[in-house]
Short mmCIF file of all heavy atoms in Angstrom, two decimals:
data_model
loop_
_atom_site.label_atom_id
_atom_site.label_comp_id
_atom_site.label_asym_id
_atom_site.label_seq_id
_atom_site.Cartn_x
_atom_site.Cartn_y
_atom_site.Cartn_z
N MET A 1 -84.91 -139.88 72.08
CA MET A 1 -86.28 -139.43 71.93
C MET A 1 -87.17 -140.34 72.76
O MET A 1 -87.06 -141.54 72.73
CB MET A 1 -86.68 -139.51 70.46
CG MET A 1 -88.09 -139.09 70.22
SD MET A 1 -88.57 -139.16 68.49
CE MET A 1 -87.33 -138.19 67.74
N ASP A 2 -88.07 -139.78 73.49
CA ASP A 2 -88.96 -140.53 74.34
C ASP A 2 -90.36 -140.54 73.74
O ASP A 2 -91.03 -139.52 73.68
CB ASP A 2 -88.98 -139.90 75.73
CG ASP A 2 -89.73 -140.73 76.74
OD1 ASP A 2 -90.46 -141.66 76.34
OD2 ASP A 2 -89.59 -140.43 77.93
N ALA A 3 -90.80 -141.70 73.29
CA ALA A 3 -92.10 -141.83 72.63
C ALA A 3 -93.25 -141.58 73.60
O ALA A 3 -94.37 -141.36 73.18
CB ALA A 3 -92.24 -143.20 72.00
N THR A 4 -92.99 -141.61 74.90
CA THR A 4 -94.06 -141.40 75.86
C THR A 4 -94.46 -139.94 75.94
O THR A 4 -95.53 -139.63 76.41
CB THR A 4 -93.63 -141.87 77.27
OG1 THR A 4 -92.54 -141.06 77.72
CG2 THR A 4 -93.26 -143.32 77.27
N THR A 5 -93.63 -139.04 75.47
CA THR A 5 -93.94 -137.62 75.57
C THR A 5 -94.38 -137.01 74.25
O THR A 5 -94.82 -135.88 74.23
CB THR A 5 -92.71 -136.83 76.10
OG1 THR A 5 -91.61 -137.03 75.21
CG2 THR A 5 -92.35 -137.28 77.49
N ARG A 6 -94.25 -137.74 73.16
CA ARG A 6 -94.65 -137.22 71.85
C ARG A 6 -95.51 -138.23 71.14
O ARG A 6 -95.12 -139.36 70.95
CB ARG A 6 -93.42 -136.98 70.98
CG ARG A 6 -92.78 -135.66 71.22
CD ARG A 6 -91.72 -135.38 70.18
NE ARG A 6 -92.29 -135.40 68.86
CZ ARG A 6 -91.61 -135.68 67.77
NH1 ARG A 6 -90.34 -135.96 67.83
NH2 ARG A 6 -92.17 -135.66 66.59
N LYS A 7 -96.68 -137.80 70.73
CA LYS A 7 -97.50 -138.68 69.92
C LYS A 7 -96.86 -138.75 68.54
O LYS A 7 -96.36 -137.76 68.03
CB LYS A 7 -98.91 -138.11 69.83
CG LYS A 7 -99.87 -139.01 69.10
CD LYS A 7 -101.26 -138.46 69.21
CE LYS A 7 -102.21 -139.19 68.31
NZ LYS A 7 -102.52 -140.53 68.67
N ASP A 8 -96.89 -139.91 67.95
CA ASP A 8 -96.32 -140.14 66.63
C ASP A 8 -94.83 -139.81 66.57
O ASP A 8 -94.36 -139.11 65.68
CB ASP A 8 -97.09 -139.36 65.56
CG ASP A 8 -98.54 -139.81 65.45
OD1 ASP A 8 -98.85 -140.92 65.92
OD2 ASP A 8 -99.34 -139.06 64.91
N ALA A 9 -94.08 -140.31 67.54
CA ALA A 9 -92.63 -140.15 67.54
C ALA A 9 -92.03 -140.85 66.33
O ALA A 9 -92.58 -141.83 65.84
CB ALA A 9 -92.05 -140.72 68.83
N VAL A 10 -90.90 -140.37 65.86
CA VAL A 10 -90.19 -140.98 64.74
C VAL A 10 -88.86 -141.51 65.26
O VAL A 10 -88.07 -140.76 65.84
CB VAL A 10 -89.97 -139.98 63.59
CG1 VAL A 10 -89.14 -140.61 62.48
CG2 VAL A 10 -91.30 -139.48 63.05
N ILE A 11 -88.62 -142.79 65.04
CA ILE A 11 -87.38 -143.44 65.44
C ILE A 11 -86.61 -143.78 64.18
O ILE A 11 -87.09 -144.55 63.34
CB ILE A 11 -87.65 -144.74 66.24
CG1 ILE A 11 -88.60 -144.49 67.42
CG2 ILE A 11 -86.34 -145.37 66.68
CD1 ILE A 11 -88.10 -143.49 68.43
N GLU A 12 -85.43 -143.18 64.02
CA GLU A 12 -84.60 -143.47 62.85
C GLU A 12 -83.71 -144.65 63.16
O GLU A 12 -83.09 -144.72 64.22
CB GLU A 12 -83.78 -142.25 62.47
CG GLU A 12 -84.64 -141.13 61.90
CD GLU A 12 -83.80 -140.03 61.29
OE1 GLU A 12 -82.71 -139.72 61.83
OE2 GLU A 12 -84.24 -139.47 60.28
N LEU A 13 -83.64 -145.58 62.21
CA LEU A 13 -82.89 -146.82 62.39
C LEU A 13 -81.79 -146.97 61.36
O LEU A 13 -81.96 -146.55 60.22
CB LEU A 13 -83.84 -148.02 62.24
CG LEU A 13 -85.06 -148.06 63.15
CD1 LEU A 13 -86.04 -149.12 62.66
CD2 LEU A 13 -84.63 -148.34 64.57
N ALA A 14 -80.72 -147.60 61.76
CA ALA A 14 -79.69 -148.02 60.81
C ALA A 14 -80.13 -149.39 60.29
O ALA A 14 -80.91 -150.10 60.92
CB ALA A 14 -78.34 -148.13 61.51
N ALA A 15 -79.64 -149.78 59.13
CA ALA A 15 -79.99 -151.08 58.56
C ALA A 15 -79.64 -152.22 59.51
O ALA A 15 -80.38 -153.20 59.61
CB ALA A 15 -79.29 -151.26 57.22
N LYS A 16 -78.58 -152.07 60.28
CA LYS A 16 -78.17 -153.11 61.23
C LYS A 16 -79.15 -153.27 62.38
O LYS A 16 -79.13 -154.29 63.07
CB LYS A 16 -76.77 -152.83 61.77
CG LYS A 16 -76.71 -151.59 62.64
CD LYS A 16 -75.33 -151.33 63.18
CE LYS A 16 -75.40 -150.07 64.02
NZ LYS A 16 -74.47 -150.02 65.07
N ASP A 17 -80.04 -152.29 62.59
CA ASP A 17 -81.04 -152.37 63.65
C ASP A 17 -82.22 -153.27 63.27
O ASP A 17 -82.99 -153.66 64.14
CB ASP A 17 -81.58 -150.98 63.99
CG ASP A 17 -80.52 -150.06 64.57
OD1 ASP A 17 -79.61 -150.57 65.26
OD2 ASP A 17 -80.61 -148.85 64.33
N LEU A 18 -82.36 -153.57 61.99
CA LEU A 18 -83.45 -154.42 61.53
C LEU A 18 -83.11 -155.89 61.77
O LEU A 18 -81.94 -156.27 61.72
CB LEU A 18 -83.74 -154.19 60.05
CG LEU A 18 -84.06 -152.75 59.64
CD1 LEU A 18 -84.37 -152.69 58.16
CD2 LEU A 18 -85.22 -152.19 60.45
N ASN A 19 -84.13 -156.71 61.99
CA ASN A 19 -83.88 -158.13 62.18
C ASN A 19 -83.66 -158.81 60.82
O ASN A 19 -83.68 -158.14 59.78
CB ASN A 19 -85.00 -158.79 62.99
CG ASN A 19 -86.33 -158.78 62.29
OD1 ASN A 19 -86.43 -158.69 61.06
ND2 ASN A 19 -87.39 -158.89 63.06
N ALA A 20 -83.49 -160.11 60.83
CA ALA A 20 -83.18 -160.86 59.60
C ALA A 20 -84.27 -160.76 58.54
O ALA A 20 -84.01 -160.98 57.36
CB ALA A 20 -82.91 -162.32 59.94
N ASN A 21 -85.49 -160.41 58.96
CA ASN A 21 -86.60 -160.27 58.02
C ASN A 21 -86.82 -158.82 57.58
O ASN A 21 -87.76 -158.53 56.86
CB ASN A 21 -87.89 -160.82 58.64
CG ASN A 21 -87.80 -162.29 58.89
OD1 ASN A 21 -87.32 -163.04 58.05
ND2 ASN A 21 -88.23 -162.72 60.06
N GLY A 22 -85.99 -157.92 58.05
CA GLY A 22 -86.10 -156.51 57.66
C GLY A 22 -87.08 -155.71 58.48
O GLY A 22 -87.60 -154.70 58.04
N GLY A 23 -87.32 -156.14 59.69
CA GLY A 23 -88.28 -155.43 60.52
C GLY A 23 -87.80 -155.20 61.93
O GLY A 23 -86.69 -155.55 62.30
N VAL A 24 -88.69 -154.61 62.70
CA VAL A 24 -88.47 -154.36 64.13
C VAL A 24 -89.76 -154.68 64.86
O VAL A 24 -90.82 -154.82 64.24
CB VAL A 24 -88.07 -152.90 64.42
CG1 VAL A 24 -86.73 -152.55 63.81
CG2 VAL A 24 -89.13 -151.92 63.96
N PHE A 25 -89.66 -154.77 66.17
CA PHE A 25 -90.84 -154.97 66.99
C PHE A 25 -91.13 -153.70 67.77
O PHE A 25 -90.22 -152.98 68.17
CB PHE A 25 -90.63 -156.13 67.97
CG PHE A 25 -90.62 -157.47 67.31
CD1 PHE A 25 -89.44 -158.07 66.94
CD2 PHE A 25 -91.81 -158.12 67.04
CE1 PHE A 25 -89.43 -159.30 66.32
CE2 PHE A 25 -91.82 -159.36 66.42
CZ PHE A 25 -90.63 -159.95 66.06
N CYS A 26 -92.39 -153.42 67.96
CA CYS A 26 -92.82 -152.31 68.80
C CYS A 26 -93.71 -152.92 69.87
O CYS A 26 -94.52 -153.80 69.54
CB CYS A 26 -93.59 -151.28 67.98
SG CYS A 26 -93.91 -149.74 68.88
N PRO A 27 -93.58 -152.54 71.12
CA PRO A 27 -92.73 -151.48 71.64
C PRO A 27 -91.26 -151.86 71.61
O PRO A 27 -90.91 -153.03 71.60
CB PRO A 27 -93.22 -151.30 73.07
CG PRO A 27 -93.85 -152.59 73.43
CD PRO A 27 -94.38 -153.19 72.16
N SER A 28 -90.45 -150.82 71.59
CA SER A 28 -89.01 -151.00 71.48
C SER A 28 -88.29 -150.15 72.50
O SER A 28 -88.68 -149.00 72.73
CB SER A 28 -88.57 -150.58 70.08
OG SER A 28 -87.18 -150.47 70.00
N PRO A 29 -87.21 -150.67 73.09
CA PRO A 29 -86.40 -149.84 73.97
C PRO A 29 -85.84 -148.63 73.22
O PRO A 29 -85.60 -147.58 73.80
CB PRO A 29 -85.26 -150.76 74.42
CG PRO A 29 -85.67 -152.13 74.06
CD PRO A 29 -86.71 -152.03 72.98
N THR A 30 -85.66 -148.75 71.91
CA THR A 30 -85.18 -147.65 71.08
C THR A 30 -86.13 -146.46 71.14
O THR A 30 -85.73 -145.32 71.04
CB THR A 30 -85.03 -148.11 69.62
OG1 THR A 30 -84.24 -149.30 69.59
CG2 THR A 30 -84.38 -147.06 68.75
N ALA A 31 -87.41 -146.75 71.32
CA ALA A 31 -88.43 -145.70 71.37
C ALA A 31 -88.60 -145.11 72.76
O ALA A 31 -89.40 -144.20 72.96
CB ALA A 31 -89.76 -146.25 70.88
N GLY A 32 -87.85 -145.62 73.74
CA GLY A 32 -87.93 -145.07 75.09
C GLY A 32 -89.19 -145.45 75.83
O GLY A 32 -89.60 -144.75 76.75
N MET A 33 -89.83 -146.55 75.44
CA MET A 33 -91.07 -146.95 76.10
C MET A 33 -90.76 -147.63 77.43
O MET A 33 -89.82 -148.40 77.53
CB MET A 33 -91.86 -147.87 75.19
CG MET A 33 -92.32 -147.16 73.96
SD MET A 33 -93.22 -148.29 72.89
CE MET A 33 -93.51 -147.18 71.52
N LYS A 34 -91.57 -147.34 78.40
CA LYS A 34 -91.41 -147.89 79.74
C LYS A 34 -92.43 -149.00 79.95
O LYS A 34 -93.39 -149.13 79.21
CB LYS A 34 -91.62 -146.79 80.79
CG LYS A 34 -90.80 -145.55 80.57
CD LYS A 34 -89.31 -145.83 80.65
CE LYS A 34 -88.54 -144.53 80.46
NZ LYS A 34 -87.32 -144.67 79.76
N LEU A 35 -92.24 -149.79 80.99
CA LEU A 35 -93.12 -150.90 81.28
C LEU A 35 -94.58 -150.45 81.42
O LEU A 35 -95.50 -151.10 80.94
CB LEU A 35 -92.65 -151.62 82.54
CG LEU A 35 -93.45 -152.85 82.94
CD1 LEU A 35 -93.41 -153.90 81.83
CD2 LEU A 35 -92.90 -153.44 84.22
N TRP A 36 -94.82 -149.30 82.05
CA TRP A 36 -96.19 -148.88 82.32
C TRP A 36 -96.96 -148.48 81.06
O TRP A 36 -98.19 -148.47 81.06
CB TRP A 36 -96.21 -147.72 83.32
CG TRP A 36 -95.58 -146.46 82.81
CD1 TRP A 36 -94.28 -146.09 82.97
CD2 TRP A 36 -96.19 -145.42 82.06
NE1 TRP A 36 -94.05 -144.89 82.36
CE2 TRP A 36 -95.21 -144.44 81.79
CE3 TRP A 36 -97.49 -145.19 81.59
CZ2 TRP A 36 -95.48 -143.28 81.08
CZ3 TRP A 36 -97.75 -144.04 80.87
CH2 TRP A 36 -96.75 -143.10 80.63
N ASN A 37 -96.27 -148.14 79.97
CA ASN A 37 -97.00 -147.71 78.78
C ASN A 37 -96.80 -148.64 77.59
O ASN A 37 -97.02 -148.24 76.46
CB ASN A 37 -96.65 -146.26 78.41
CG ASN A 37 -95.24 -146.10 77.87
OD1 ASN A 37 -94.39 -146.95 78.08
ND2 ASN A 37 -95.00 -145.01 77.20
N ASN A 38 -96.41 -149.87 77.84
CA ASN A 38 -96.23 -150.83 76.76
C ASN A 38 -97.57 -151.29 76.21
O ASN A 38 -98.60 -151.19 76.88
CB ASN A 38 -95.46 -152.05 77.24
CG ASN A 38 -93.97 -151.83 77.23
OD1 ASN A 38 -93.47 -150.95 76.55
ND2 ASN A 38 -93.25 -152.64 77.98
N HIS A 39 -97.53 -151.80 75.02
CA HIS A 39 -98.69 -152.41 74.38
C HIS A 39 -98.26 -153.77 73.88
O HIS A 39 -97.07 -154.11 73.96
CB HIS A 39 -99.22 -151.52 73.25
CG HIS A 39 -98.20 -151.15 72.22
ND1 HIS A 39 -97.64 -152.07 71.34
CD2 HIS A 39 -97.60 -149.97 71.93
CE1 HIS A 39 -96.78 -151.45 70.55
NE2 HIS A 39 -96.72 -150.18 70.89
N PRO A 40 -99.16 -154.59 73.35
CA PRO A 40 -98.73 -155.89 72.82
C PRO A 40 -97.64 -155.73 71.77
O PRO A 40 -97.63 -154.76 71.01
CB PRO A 40 -100.01 -156.45 72.20
CG PRO A 40 -101.11 -155.77 72.94
CD PRO A 40 -100.59 -154.39 73.24
N ARG A 41 -96.73 -156.67 71.74
CA ARG A 41 -95.60 -156.62 70.81
C ARG A 41 -96.09 -156.94 69.39
O ARG A 41 -96.73 -157.95 69.18
CB ARG A 41 -94.56 -157.63 71.25
CG ARG A 41 -93.29 -157.58 70.48
CD ARG A 41 -92.33 -158.61 71.03
NE ARG A 41 -90.99 -158.34 70.53
CZ ARG A 41 -90.02 -159.21 70.56
NH1 ARG A 41 -90.22 -160.41 71.05
NH2 ARG A 41 -88.84 -158.90 70.10
N ILE A 42 -95.77 -156.05 68.46
CA ILE A 42 -96.14 -156.29 67.07
C ILE A 42 -94.92 -156.10 66.16
O ILE A 42 -94.03 -155.32 66.45
CB ILE A 42 -97.30 -155.40 66.59
CG1 ILE A 42 -96.93 -153.92 66.63
CG2 ILE A 42 -98.55 -155.65 67.40
CD1 ILE A 42 -97.92 -153.03 65.91
N TYR A 43 -94.92 -156.86 65.07
CA TYR A 43 -93.84 -156.80 64.08
C TYR A 43 -94.15 -155.72 63.06
O TYR A 43 -95.28 -155.61 62.56
CB TYR A 43 -93.72 -158.16 63.39
CG TYR A 43 -92.73 -158.15 62.24
CD1 TYR A 43 -91.37 -158.23 62.49
CD2 TYR A 43 -93.16 -158.06 60.93
CE1 TYR A 43 -90.46 -158.22 61.45
CE2 TYR A 43 -92.25 -158.06 59.88
CZ TYR A 43 -90.91 -158.13 60.15
OH TYR A 43 -90.01 -158.12 59.12
N LEU A 44 -93.16 -154.91 62.73
CA LEU A 44 -93.30 -153.86 61.72
C LEU A 44 -92.27 -154.09 60.61
O LEU A 44 -91.08 -154.17 60.88
CB LEU A 44 -93.09 -152.48 62.35
CG LEU A 44 -94.05 -152.14 63.50
CD1 LEU A 44 -93.60 -150.88 64.20
CD2 LEU A 44 -95.46 -152.00 62.98
N ASP A 45 -92.73 -154.20 59.38
CA ASP A 45 -91.87 -154.44 58.23
C ASP A 45 -91.32 -153.10 57.73
O ASP A 45 -91.99 -152.40 56.98
CB ASP A 45 -92.65 -155.15 57.13
CG ASP A 45 -91.80 -155.52 55.94
OD1 ASP A 45 -90.60 -155.19 55.92
OD2 ASP A 45 -92.35 -156.14 55.02
N VAL A 46 -90.14 -152.77 58.14
CA VAL A 46 -89.51 -151.50 57.76
C VAL A 46 -88.82 -151.60 56.41
O VAL A 46 -88.83 -150.65 55.62
CB VAL A 46 -88.51 -151.05 58.85
CG1 VAL A 46 -87.79 -149.78 58.45
CG2 VAL A 46 -89.21 -150.85 60.18
N ALA A 47 -88.26 -152.75 56.10
CA ALA A 47 -87.45 -152.90 54.88
C ALA A 47 -88.28 -152.73 53.60
O ALA A 47 -87.77 -152.22 52.60
CB ALA A 47 -86.77 -154.27 54.87
N ARG A 48 -89.53 -153.12 53.61
CA ARG A 48 -90.33 -153.09 52.39
C ARG A 48 -90.48 -151.68 51.83
O ARG A 48 -90.30 -151.46 50.64
CB ARG A 48 -91.71 -153.70 52.65
CG ARG A 48 -92.55 -153.87 51.41
CD ARG A 48 -93.78 -154.73 51.66
NE ARG A 48 -94.50 -154.38 52.87
CZ ARG A 48 -95.55 -153.57 52.88
NH1 ARG A 48 -96.02 -153.05 51.78
NH2 ARG A 48 -96.15 -153.30 54.02
N THR A 49 -90.78 -150.71 52.69
CA THR A 49 -91.00 -149.34 52.20
C THR A 49 -90.04 -148.31 52.79
O THR A 49 -90.07 -147.15 52.41
CB THR A 49 -92.43 -148.87 52.50
OG1 THR A 49 -92.61 -148.82 53.93
CG2 THR A 49 -93.46 -149.78 51.87
N GLY A 50 -89.23 -148.74 53.76
CA GLY A 50 -88.30 -147.82 54.40
C GLY A 50 -88.82 -147.25 55.70
O GLY A 50 -88.09 -146.60 56.44
N GLU A 51 -90.12 -147.50 55.98
CA GLU A 51 -90.68 -147.08 57.26
C GLU A 51 -91.96 -147.83 57.55
O GLU A 51 -92.58 -148.39 56.65
CB GLU A 51 -90.92 -145.57 57.31
CG GLU A 51 -92.06 -145.07 56.45
CD GLU A 51 -92.26 -143.57 56.61
OE1 GLU A 51 -91.28 -142.82 56.49
OE2 GLU A 51 -93.39 -143.17 56.86
N ALA A 52 -92.32 -147.84 58.84
CA ALA A 52 -93.56 -148.49 59.26
C ALA A 52 -94.06 -147.77 60.51
O ALA A 52 -93.27 -147.29 61.32
CB ALA A 52 -93.33 -149.96 59.54
N LYS A 53 -95.38 -147.71 60.65
CA LYS A 53 -96.00 -147.02 61.78
C LYS A 53 -96.74 -148.02 62.65
O LYS A 53 -97.52 -148.84 62.16
CB LYS A 53 -96.98 -145.96 61.27
CG LYS A 53 -97.63 -145.14 62.37
CD LYS A 53 -98.49 -144.05 61.77
CE LYS A 53 -99.08 -143.17 62.85
NZ LYS A 53 -99.85 -142.06 62.26
N CYS A 54 -96.51 -147.94 63.95
CA CYS A 54 -97.18 -148.81 64.90
C CYS A 54 -98.65 -148.42 65.03
O CYS A 54 -98.97 -147.26 65.27
CB CYS A 54 -96.50 -148.72 66.27
SG CYS A 54 -97.33 -149.74 67.52
N ALA A 55 -99.53 -149.40 64.86
CA ALA A 55 -100.97 -149.15 64.95
C ALA A 55 -101.42 -148.87 66.38
O ALA A 55 -102.45 -148.24 66.60
CB ALA A 55 -101.73 -150.34 64.40
N TYR A 56 -100.65 -149.30 67.37
CA TYR A 56 -101.01 -149.07 68.77
C TYR A 56 -100.64 -147.68 69.26
O TYR A 56 -101.45 -146.98 69.83
CB TYR A 56 -100.35 -150.10 69.68
CG TYR A 56 -101.00 -151.45 69.67
CD1 TYR A 56 -100.46 -152.49 68.93
CD2 TYR A 56 -102.16 -151.70 70.40
CE1 TYR A 56 -101.05 -153.74 68.91
CE2 TYR A 56 -102.76 -152.94 70.39
CZ TYR A 56 -102.20 -153.95 69.65
OH TYR A 56 -102.79 -155.18 69.64
N CYS A 57 -99.37 -147.31 69.06
CA CYS A 57 -98.89 -146.07 69.69
C CYS A 57 -98.56 -144.96 68.71
O CYS A 57 -98.28 -143.84 69.11
CB CYS A 57 -97.68 -146.37 70.57
SG CYS A 57 -96.21 -146.91 69.66
N GLY A 58 -98.54 -145.27 67.41
CA GLY A 58 -98.26 -144.25 66.41
C GLY A 58 -96.78 -143.99 66.16
O GLY A 58 -96.44 -143.15 65.33
N THR A 59 -95.90 -144.70 66.86
CA THR A 59 -94.48 -144.50 66.64
C THR A 59 -94.11 -144.95 65.23
O THR A 59 -94.53 -146.00 64.78
CB THR A 59 -93.65 -145.30 67.67
OG1 THR A 59 -94.00 -144.85 68.99
CG2 THR A 59 -92.16 -145.12 67.46
N VAL A 60 -93.35 -144.12 64.54
CA VAL A 60 -92.89 -144.43 63.19
C VAL A 60 -91.43 -144.86 63.27
O VAL A 60 -90.61 -144.16 63.87
CB VAL A 60 -93.03 -143.21 62.25
CG1 VAL A 60 -92.44 -143.51 60.88
CG2 VAL A 60 -94.50 -142.81 62.13
N TYR A 61 -91.14 -146.01 62.70
CA TYR A 61 -89.77 -146.51 62.61
C TYR A 61 -89.36 -146.39 61.16
O TYR A 61 -90.06 -146.89 60.27
CB TYR A 61 -89.72 -147.98 63.04
CG TYR A 61 -90.07 -148.19 64.49
CD1 TYR A 61 -91.40 -148.32 64.89
CD2 TYR A 61 -89.09 -148.24 65.46
CE1 TYR A 61 -91.73 -148.51 66.22
CE2 TYR A 61 -89.41 -148.43 66.79
CZ TYR A 61 -90.73 -148.56 67.17
OH TYR A 61 -91.05 -148.74 68.49
N LYS A 62 -88.25 -145.69 60.91
CA LYS A 62 -87.83 -145.54 59.52
C LYS A 62 -86.31 -145.62 59.41
O LYS A 62 -85.59 -145.32 60.35
CB LYS A 62 -88.34 -144.23 58.93
CG LYS A 62 -87.70 -142.99 59.45
CD LYS A 62 -88.30 -141.79 58.73
CE LYS A 62 -87.36 -140.61 58.78
NZ LYS A 62 -87.81 -139.52 57.96
N LEU A 63 -85.89 -146.05 58.23
CA LEU A 63 -84.45 -146.13 57.97
C LEU A 63 -83.88 -144.72 57.84
O LEU A 63 -84.52 -143.83 57.26
CB LEU A 63 -84.18 -146.90 56.68
CG LEU A 63 -84.35 -148.41 56.75
CD1 LEU A 63 -84.18 -149.02 55.37
CD2 LEU A 63 -83.35 -149.02 57.71
N LYS A 64 -82.69 -144.53 58.38
CA LYS A 64 -82.00 -143.26 58.23
C LYS A 64 -81.69 -143.02 56.76
O LYS A 64 -81.61 -143.96 55.98
CB LYS A 64 -80.67 -143.27 59.01
CG LYS A 64 -80.86 -143.33 60.50
CD LYS A 64 -79.52 -143.38 61.19
CE LYS A 64 -79.69 -143.50 62.69
NZ LYS A 64 -78.40 -143.62 63.38
N ALA A 65 -81.49 -141.77 56.40
CA ALA A 65 -81.11 -141.44 55.01
C ALA A 65 -79.83 -142.19 54.66
O ALA A 65 -78.94 -142.34 55.49
CB ALA A 65 -80.89 -139.92 54.90
N ASP A 66 -79.76 -142.66 53.45
CA ASP A 66 -78.60 -143.41 52.93
C ASP A 66 -78.44 -144.79 53.52
O ASP A 66 -77.42 -145.43 53.33
CB ASP A 66 -77.30 -142.62 53.09
CG ASP A 66 -77.33 -141.30 52.33
OD1 ASP A 66 -77.95 -141.25 51.24
OD2 ASP A 66 -76.76 -140.32 52.83
N GLU A 67 -79.41 -145.28 54.29
CA GLU A 67 -79.37 -146.64 54.82
C GLU A 67 -80.25 -147.51 53.93
O GLU A 67 -81.34 -147.12 53.54
CB GLU A 67 -79.91 -146.70 56.26
CG GLU A 67 -79.00 -146.09 57.29
CD GLU A 67 -77.83 -147.00 57.65
OE1 GLU A 67 -77.95 -148.23 57.61
OE2 GLU A 67 -76.77 -146.45 57.97
N HIS A 68 -79.76 -148.68 53.61
CA HIS A 68 -80.50 -149.62 52.79
C HIS A 68 -80.39 -150.99 53.41
O HIS A 68 -79.33 -151.39 53.85
CB HIS A 68 -79.95 -149.66 51.35
CG HIS A 68 -79.96 -148.32 50.71
ND1 HIS A 68 -81.09 -147.76 50.18
CD2 HIS A 68 -78.98 -147.41 50.52
CE1 HIS A 68 -80.80 -146.56 49.69
NE2 HIS A 68 -79.52 -146.32 49.90
N TRP A 69 -81.50 -151.71 53.45
CA TRP A 69 -81.49 -153.04 54.04
C TRP A 69 -81.50 -154.08 52.92
O TRP A 69 -82.18 -153.91 51.91
CB TRP A 69 -82.71 -153.25 54.91
CG TRP A 69 -82.72 -154.56 55.60
CD1 TRP A 69 -82.12 -154.87 56.77
CD2 TRP A 69 -83.31 -155.78 55.14
NE1 TRP A 69 -82.31 -156.18 57.08
CE2 TRP A 69 -83.05 -156.77 56.09
CE3 TRP A 69 -84.05 -156.12 54.01
CZ2 TRP A 69 -83.50 -158.07 55.96
CZ3 TRP A 69 -84.49 -157.41 53.88
CH2 TRP A 69 -84.21 -158.38 54.83
N GLY A 70 -80.75 -155.15 53.12
CA GLY A 70 -80.82 -156.27 52.20
C GLY A 70 -79.77 -156.30 51.12
O GLY A 70 -79.65 -157.27 50.40
N ALA A 71 -78.98 -155.26 50.97
CA ALA A 71 -77.96 -155.24 49.90
C ALA A 71 -76.92 -156.32 50.11
O ALA A 71 -76.41 -156.89 49.15
CB ALA A 71 -77.30 -153.88 49.84
N SER A 72 -76.61 -156.63 51.37
CA SER A 72 -75.56 -157.61 51.62
C SER A 72 -76.11 -158.91 52.17
O SER A 72 -75.38 -159.76 52.61
CB SER A 72 -74.55 -157.04 52.62
OG SER A 72 -75.19 -156.76 53.85
N HIS A 73 -77.43 -159.07 52.15
CA HIS A 73 -78.04 -160.30 52.69
C HIS A 73 -78.33 -161.28 51.61
O HIS A 73 -78.87 -161.08 50.63
CB HIS A 73 -79.32 -159.97 53.47
CG HIS A 73 -79.03 -159.22 54.73
ND1 HIS A 73 -79.14 -157.88 54.82
CD2 HIS A 73 -78.60 -159.64 55.93
CE1 HIS A 73 -78.82 -157.50 56.03
NE2 HIS A 73 -78.48 -158.56 56.72
#
């Protein structure tokens, strides 16, 4: 999925895609963002609620169904 062509793109993540704190950074290569359309890097806490939305670009990062973060940490 290319976030540059869809406003409010949704990126589904596996629990292993989250960092040690349960989050991800946006912009992300996972979202298909290119150098020309990047914004400042921000941390998004996905583990707390299962999803987070980037305030800059509107991309939503969420855990895939049946994925849970922190059970084995």
Side-chain angles (χ1 to χ4, degrees):
M1 179 179 306
D2 188 347
T4 64
T5 59
R6 276 190 58 206
K7 185 173 170 70
D8 297 341
V10 176
I11 307 300
E12 291 190 324
L13 303 167
K16 67 180 179 151
D17 296 328
L18 303 182
N19 65 23
N21 296 316
V24 294
F25 288 95
C26 190
S28 168
T30 308
M33 295 179 184
K34 308 297 182 215
L35 182 60
W36 66 268
N37 70 340
N38 277 340
H39 54 69
R41 187 179 195 197
I42 63 168
Y43 173 79
L44 301 170
D45 184 357
V46 176
R48 187 168 46 96
T49 64
E51 71 178 50
K53 183 175 183 177
C54 177
Y56 283 101
C57 66
T59 301
V60 175
Y61 295 86
K62 71 179 203 172
L63 285 175
K64 293 178 182 177
D66 299 326
E67 288 282 329
H68 303 281
W69 183 85
S72 61
H73 291 99

